[in-house]
Amino acid sequence: GLAIREVFKYPEVEKIDVVDIDPQMTRLGKEFGPLKRLNGDSLSDPRVAIHHVDAFNYVMDLSRANHGLRVDGRGDQALLYD
């Protein structure tokens, strides 16, 4: 959520695909008060699409071009944006 908050500072960003295999992690970012406040409730933004799948497979299956990509330090989560 924190990275999404920062990416949305760029007005040209229209959509962000968040990929995390663990739905509990995205639920935490959307519902846990302290995290929700820190990330500016960015995971609830209508421009965010959350995918609970393996990030490696998601990236390998992308058929679209012109994406930005951020993979977090754990290596099992990716943030994609046009």
Side-chain angles (χ1 to χ4, degrees), residues 7-49:
V7 171
F8 277 147
K9 289 181 178 179
Y10 298 91
E12 63 271 16
V13 175
E14 296 176 4
K15 180 183 176 194
I16 295 177
D17 292 293
V18 176
V19 181
D20 193 319
I21 199 166
D22 186 352
Q24 296 300 329
M25 295 304 292
T26 53
R27 184 182 63 79
L28 197 62
K30 285 180 85 167
E31 298 176 8
F32 183 60
L35 282 178
K36 187 176 177 178
R37 282 188 296 280
L38 279 173
N39 69 38
D41 201 19
S42 61
L43 289 170
S44 296
D45 189 293
R47 297 171 290 177
V48 174

Side-chain angles (χ1 to χ4, degrees), residues 52-79:
H52 294 120
V53 296
D54 182 86
F56 179 80
N57 292 335
Y58 184 85
V59 171
M60 296 303 290
D61 290 341
L62 280 178
S63 60
R64 297 177 290 158
N66 300 321
H67 278 77
L69 171 65
R70 175 195 173 269
V71 179
D72 81 356
R74 298 179 313 183
D76 65 353
Q77 185 181 65
L79 179 115

